[in-house]
Amino acid sequence: MKNIIAFGISLFLTTLTLMAQITNYERVNPLIGTNGMGHTFPGACYPFGMVQLSPDTDTVPFSVDGIYQKNVYDYCAGYQYRDKTIVGFSHTHLSGTGHSDLGDILVMPFTGERKLNPGTAENPDSGYRSRYNHSTEVARPGYYEAFLEDYNILAQLTVTQRCGIHKYTFPQDEAQHIILDLNHGIYNYDGKVLWANIRVENDTLITGYRITNGWSRENYIYFAMSFSKPVSNYGYVDKEKVVYNGFWKRFNLNENFPEIGGRKIVSWFDFENDGDKTLEIKVALSAVSTDGAIKNLKAETSGKDFDVLHKNTTEAWENALSVIEAHGDTDQLAMLYTSLYHTMINPSLYMDVDDCYRGIDHNIHKAEGFTNYSVFSVWDTFRAMHPLLNIIDRKRSKDIINSMLAHYEQSVHHALPVWSHAGNENWCMIGYHSVSVIADAITKGIDIDTEKALGAMISSSSIAYYDNTQSYIDLGYVPFEKSSNAASVTLEYSYDDWTVYKTALALGNIDATKSYKKRAVNYRKIFDSEIGFARPKYANGKWKENFNLLSTSDEGFIEGNSMNYSFFVPHDVLGMMALMGGEKTFIEKLDSLFTMHLPDEFFAETEDVTREGLIGNYVHGNEPSHHIAYLYMWTSQPWKTQYRIREIMNRMYRNNIDGLCGNDDCGQMSAWYVFSAMGFYPVCPGTDQYVFGTPYLPYMKIKLEDNKFLEIKALNVSDRNRYIKSIKFNGIKVEKAFITQEEIMTGGVLEFEMSSKPNKQTCYQGKNRPYSMSGELVF
Amino acid sequence: MKNIIAFGISLFLTTLTLMAQITNYERVNPLIGTNGMGHTFPGACYPFGMVQLSPDTDTVPFSVDGIYQKNVYDYCAGYQYRDKTIVGFSHTHLSGTGHSDLGDILVMPFTGERKLNPGTAENPDSGYRSRYNHSTEVARPGYYEAFLEDYNILAQLTVTQRCGIHKYTFPQDEAQHIILDLNHGIYNYDGKVLWANIRVENDTLITGYRITNGWSRENYIYFAMSFSKPVSNYGYVDKEKVVYNGFWKRFNLNENFPEIGGRKIVSWFDFENDGDKTLEIKVALSAVSTDGAIKNLKAETSGKDFDVLHKNTTEAWENALSVIEAHGDTDQLAMLYTSLYHTMINPSLYMDVDDCYRGIDHNIHKAEGFTNYSVFSVWDTFRAMHPLLNIIDRKRSKDIINSMLAHYEQSVHHALPVWSHAGNENWCMIGYHSVSVIADAITKGIDIDTEKALGAMISSSSIAYYDNTQSYIDLGYVPFEKSSNAASVTLEYSYDDWTVYKTALALGNIDATKSYKKRAVNYRKIFDSEIGFARPKYANGKWKENFNLLSTSDEGFIEGNSMNYSFFVPHDVLGMMALMGGEKTFIEKLDSLFTMHLPDEFFAETEDVTREGLIGNYVHGNEPSHHIAYLYMWTSQPWKTQYRIREIMNRMYRNNIDGLCGNDDCGQMSAWYVFSAMGFYPVCPGTDQYVFGTPYLPYMKIKLEDNKFLEIKALNVSDRNRYIKSIKFNGIKVEKAFITQEEIMTGGVLEFEMSSKPNKQTCYQGKNRPYSMSGELVF
């Protein structure tokens, strides 16, 4: 017996050793999701950094002559793997979003003839873009490399927190040039750039900025750009019709005049070929000023060349990715670490080295005692992304909450973020889910100013003019005549209000507790017990007629039809179950969701996802469904959760360019994966519970605070052995359907015994069942 | 004898007492120059303040469909007296310029139907503008009032340094409204406003800003606006075509949504009529941020109503205008004090109460130890406006020089201002005359960092790409093929270089002394001794052929033909005289300049002036001629200066709406008047000399530093007694043609004995003749 154990240990260590040869960093494949609907980018970024330096492969404007161009949607991250050319390398990208923006400050090296337009995919020679081949493409965390065939230039990119670092190796004996295109952008249109400016401070330093009216309504992006060798000549064109410009005409502004300004500025810089084939460019960003950008440039890059900075950034990623250690096959680990990587891009740093940042009020603020972040895709990320940080990166979670509270304090609406980035609120999607993010953080012991936080939560959920909040408060639901998303909004407000209720309760605010407790069950007002699903209702109390459960077009829902969306009552699953007709019907509805066929006409209405993103009528590519497979855990058939979770993981996440079935949505899709791989998921953020799904890998080890670890073991887990036979936590059998935050943070070993057969005996009841509000419903 | 003296004193005191009943403040007539070419505005401003709150009477865009609209030129200050309607009241205006801009943040009160466009002069009812009648118009320093007939609203305006204060008295029982038009502007065009923003902070406070691309290429203007009663409803239209705006469509942004943004924003605010017919509005400006504007608002207006603030501003003007005490008839004194008033508008304060301001590099700076000013129309104001400050407002002169040096330090060109305002250099007109401003300040003992100043002067005059400076350095003149203004530029560089030479000499910089001494006589290279005038020359040394001395069109000159411009050698009048053919010819040329007829075809080319602005071919409305009438003082016929100066003062300056013969040019035309009235003029700034002209008034008393005064007496002066018989300074006969800065600052009594006959005996020779460089010409 001893020998067997010894052999086992020896084998285990050998496996570990072999595994150690491939680092977590090397497992990451940033190309996952770069083709199709994933909307991820392959370029270089720093963990939660300000810069995302990445190739843009096309320049589709979002409107031409006022007409929306549908394929702009493909370029939310500026890149589609299928494209044959690289337009250039721009410094800001959203990761996985369903709406596009940014693509600021594009640099493109070239040789030979100067072309001051990007050209077209069909005729690359008509512009400065270059053909490239994926065989030359290298994408790693914090590093990107490609060979630009039209110019024979090797392009290498890395980053620091606030700087993009370019290294271009030109052919010997060729004159070296770059394009700096301040008119390029993602979500571009004729007029997106409100103003652009460049100052040639000296022959190795330029500064500049642009102000854009994109999705971020008013985005200020400043830069400081240093070159490893002197500029010999430079100039620009302004593609906007030149207006009467008084005495400017007296001298040539277009060449070697160090102050360039305009609306559609495309500039060029020549460098002497001094025998050194390489040109290194450091580009610091700032949302504050060019002074801020210069500070960032100096603080992060001074005296360090490309290789040193690349090494530092690699170490930063190795450190960030070391939070999880895991065993699995190559594709599984690629998917796991790439998912983890994708949760570490947004939210993004939005603050200079001197702690100054541009607030939502467009004033410059100094962050006192926190690090300011932007890019809050809260409708997506409240679900799993923020809860994940409350386990693996609690300091960052605190900074993010404080950033949200600063946003609230600066907001003229006195509102927490809805969907904000680059110092602007774009109000995308629905709900006021920052209240969930904050409630979850408080529940999980993140050290924030709870009184201020509750004030912000109450304020954000009380803004009369915000998306029919007043109607919702008055009627208990959003009437259908007021909003084509009325039912979705009501469901989400209802959950959000539950998070306010729980926070008020915890903080002893009796009035808010009472008020929001009532609001938390408002979802019931739009459940039609006759059909057993949520259904939009008019103010006069009448249901929408000719209601279609499968359609997402004008049926009161958004990014999900009623058959998916009706399940969005994460805080009161039992209440919802009752409204659906009781457990049996509930299970049948869940079953059929995964098994029915969604006719093409309704699939066509499903945004953001591929056909592969569906299992029956279940749409994993859109977030409202993310918790659905876990809902069997409230029923007598928890094994169905185990079956479906593994199915979703296998089918919806693949180590491939089109391996994401829908938008990664700033890491929410990926956070779902990381949680689900661990074997549990935060179905109802704001509770301290993570509901068990099924572990995906034989071994995971999560790094916690204070040198603690949570080991998750599932020795024989496989597609076949996907069912949980039993669970032990630190050697004690787990009878509950969930693990708590406290248990996780205590650390230890969570051990799953897996089986090829469903364990049909387990049925969680009473306190062992996951949280549901129903028990509290004495008003 | 004693009795006679006693009687004289008694009469004098009685006269003083009578005069004291009309204060200097009351003498000022801000309407002078508001019709035609003066380009002054009648509205409220503070001495050298940030705000110029004034009615705009039309909204001519400078271009329509890309075609320049010539009559936009009439609206440089937003106002023409001849107009019958007021569009509204905007907060920033240039005073007397020959190029238009600003007109920011327009407010217009109204009753009845809401109209969101300004309407037209022909059909006022088509928009929000109102008819008005000049009989209801009151214009005083720091105060303006008019009755808006279309609405029966009395509009009263006053200011603080950084705030515009509005008081509107509505008819009883009428609902009270205002328009806030952020699309309105002077030098407007379709696209001038790059972005505009409004936040309704609460029901009595709004903040906002706009960024414009006008003459100031990139002008950031922020505001904070408080109301004396709550806003009940508000909203806006954006006249720019609405672009695809994602999820913004979900709720109504156009009414009562407190965050308004767009390119062409016209907003409206309703107020409950609470029985109080008056609505007071305080509008603070800032070039930094809305935070800055709020600070300004609080610091300058907190707890003070319209009447209190009006009183404070009146006192500020009374104090500012007390620098000169004078006797004369009503029109003479109106003209004198209005001229003095017009020298106290630009340069304008450009700094918040916390000393922060927007630099020429578009970064925010804190002014350390000085007050920052903007609006530098240096080509105009180096002549007399800045020298005047060196006598009557030396602290301000120091601040202005320090503002110029800050500009230099922030300039990517390492250049002092050419024509800069609102944080931008617009490069209007020619030369690098800030070097003259600084040299004059140093000569006159203004306490600045002289080493830094000399560095700035050398740098500003060495910028190869600036308006053919390199050609000028290489050839000694700007060749005609390079510039249509080649001869003017050469003459002005030559003078400017003389100021650098003198400063370098004073500071002991031997290299610069040598180099700039040579450059100072470059004017000679373009003097054609065959014709005795300056003439443009090609790089190959050949003169322009078919040269026309009278034309200003493509003859190498700007704002002056060769017959005027050739006299612009203020630093070497004797050298110029020799090139013109000696004294006799020189006098003949001066004489004929004033007596010849300028044919209509050439008058048509003369910019910025009316026919009344000409005396013969002498064009007082353009600055290059301003010193010419004083040049007789270098000849044997100084009495001709006396004759011409009084003629110019009588004909070119009248107490009337069209009383200015040309643009007031930020106070230069007015400073010329103030100096000339005193009887002397700084013909060559950078010397310590003021060349005598002829006193205009019987008595003037100039307040100097340290409680000193300069009294100027010319007891019997009149149009008839315009000639100087003799001069005494503090009782001692003056033999020189000039008075020095030191003498002036010592104070005392400068007494002119006047006569109806020219004193043909006086001829200033040697040291008594005004400065001319000729004597120093040993290289």
Side-chain angles (χ1 to χ4, degrees), chain A residues 576-649:
Chain A
M576 160 182 61
M577 197 184 292
L579 290 172
M580 282 196 172
E583 192 200 81
K584 185 164 171 290
T585 319
F586 182 72
I587 292 173
E588 282 166 9
K589 283 180 175 165
L590 283 172
D591 288 350
S592 71
L593 183 69
F594 287 101
T595 52
M596 69 183 295
H597 176 69
L598 183 67
D600 283 347
E601 59 184 297
F602 302 120
F603 169 69
E605 298 164 2
T606 306
E607 295 180 65
D608 309 352
V609 293
T610 58
R611 244 311 176 187
E612 292 73 36
L614 271 62
I615 299 176
N617 179 15
Y618 171 85
V619 184
H620 190 71
N622 282 335
E623 275 72 6
S625 309
H626 274 193
H627 66 300
I628 293 178
Y630 286 93
L631 295 181
Y632 287 107
M633 295 298 286
W634 276 256
T635 75
S636 56
Q637 302 181 2
W639 58 272
K640 285 187 176 170
T641 287
Q642 296 152 25
Y643 177 81
R644 288 297 172 197
I645 294 297
R646 194 163 184 102
E647 185 186 20
I648 296 166
M649 296 184 78

Side-chain angles (χ1 to χ4, degrees), chain A residues 62-63 65-66 68 99 187 189-197 199-202 209 211 213 215 217-218 220 222 234 236 241 243-248 250-253 256-263 288-292 358 360-365 409-414 418 425-431 465-468 482 485 489 493 558-559 607, chain B residues 62-63 65-66 68 99 187 189-197 199-202 209 211 213 215 217-218 220 222 234 236 241 243-248 250-253 256-263 288-292 358 360-365 409-414 418 425-431 465-468 482 485 489 493 558-559 607:
Chain A
F62 89 80
S63 84
D65 297 332
Y68 177 67
H99 199 298
Y187 193 69
Y189 67 97
D190 185 39
K192 177 178 179 181
V193 181
L194 302 175
W195 194 255
N197 202 73
R199 273 167 63 112
V200 182
E201 305 283 351
N202 58 50
Y209 51 93
I211 310 170
N213 168 229
W215 189 32
R217 190 158 72 159
E218 199 183 337
Y220 297 77
Y222 299 82
Y234 60 94
Y236 79 105
K241 184 183 60 165
V243 297
Y244 175 71
N245 60 1
F247 288 85
W248 279 93
R250 280 186 297 127
F251 32 97
N252 182 5
L253 304 175
N256 299 321
F257 189 80
E259 194 169 26
I260 294 168
R263 301 201 192 175
V288 174
S289 63
T290 57
D291 274 356
R358 187 173 296 268
I360 205 80
D361 58 358
H362 307 306
N363 282 307
I364 303 305
H365 298 266
E409 290 182 311
Q410 293 153 13
S411 158
V412 73
H413 312 284
H414 312 293
V418 173
E425 175 57 79
N426 62 48
W427 306 109
C428 186
M429 291 308 293
I430 57 174
Y465 53 78
Y466 171 67
D467 209 5
N468 301 296
K482 291 261 191 177
N485 312 320
V489 173
Y493 284 172
I558 182 168
E559 291 205 18
E607 295 180 65
Chain B
F62 89 81
S63 84
D65 297 333
Y68 177 66
H99 199 297
Y187 194 69
Y189 67 97
D190 185 40
K192 177 178 179 181
V193 181
L194 301 174
W195 193 255
N197 203 72
R199 273 167 63 112
V200 182
E201 304 283 351
N202 58 51
Y209 51 92
I211 312 170
N213 169 229
W215 189 32
R217 189 156 75 159
E218 200 182 337
Y220 297 77
Y222 299 82
Y234 60 94
Y236 79 106
K241 185 184 58 170
V243 298
Y244 175 71
N245 60 1
F247 288 85
W248 278 92
R250 279 185 298 128
F251 32 98
N252 182 4
L253 305 175
N256 298 322
F257 189 81
E259 195 170 26
I260 294 168
R263 301 198 193 177
V288 173
S289 64
T290 56
D291 274 355
R358 188 172 295 269
I360 205 80
D361 57 359
H362 307 306
N363 283 305
I364 304 304
H365 298 267
E409 288 182 313
Q410 293 153 12
S411 157
V412 72
H413 312 283
H414 311 295
V418 173
E425 175 57 79
N426 62 47
W427 306 108
C428 185
M429 292 305 294
I430 57 174
Y465 52 80
Y466 171 67
D467 208 5
N468 301 297
K482 291 262 190 176
N485 312 321
V489 173
Y493 284 171
I558 182 169
E559 290 205 19
E607 294 181 66

Side-chain angles (χ1 to χ4, degrees), chain B residues 544-552 555 561-562 601-602:
Chain B
K544 178 191 184 295
E545 296 190 358
N546 302 318
F547 180 55
N548 188 318
L549 286 165
L550 290 173
S551 173
T552 49
E555 295 290 351
N561 57 26
S562 178
E601 61 183 298
F602 301 121

Side-chain angles (χ1 to χ4, degrees), chain B residues 171-308:
Chain B
Q172 194 83 44
D173 306 325
E174 281 272 19
Q176 302 169 5
H177 318 279
I178 64 162
I179 295 292
L180 170 60
D181 188 342
L182 297 186
N183 194 39
H184 169 92
I186 300 171
Y187 194 69
N188 227 354
Y189 67 97
D190 185 40
K192 177 178 179 181
V193 181
L194 301 174
W195 193 255
N197 203 72
I198 298 172
R199 273 167 63 112
V200 182
E201 304 283 351
N202 58 51
D203 62 3
T204 59
L205 177 67
I206 68 175
T207 60
Y209 51 92
R210 64 180 203 166
I211 312 170
T212 54
N213 169 229
W215 189 32
S216 170
R217 189 156 75 159
E218 200 182 337
N219 185 0
Y220 297 77
I221 186 145
Y222 299 82
F223 64 89
M225 189 178 295
S226 71
F227 305 111
S228 61
K229 60 182 73 173
V231 172
S232 55
N233 282 290
Y234 60 94
Y236 79 106
V237 291
D238 185 354
K239 300 193 168 187
E240 177 90 1
K241 185 184 58 170
V242 175
V243 298
Y244 175 71
N245 60 1
F247 288 85
W248 278 92
K249 286 175 185 163
R250 279 185 298 128
F251 32 98
N252 182 4
L253 305 175
N254 292 100
E255 292 200 17
N256 298 322
F257 189 81
E259 195 170 26
I260 294 168
R263 301 198 193 177
K264 295 181 183 168
I265 295 297
V266 182
S267 65
W268 50 271
F269 294 83
D270 296 341
F271 303 85
E272 300 294 353
N273 186 335
D274 53 358
D276 181 353
K277 291 189 294 178
T278 63
L279 170 66
E280 292 191 12
I281 307 176
K282 299 170 177 175
V283 184
L285 301 187
S286 165
V288 173
S289 64
T290 56
D291 274 355
I294 286 175
K295 282 182 198 164
N296 294 340
L297 185 72
K298 285 186 181 166
E300 297 191 349
T301 76
S302 204
K304 295 177 187 138
D305 69 5
F306 183 93
D307 293 337
V308 169

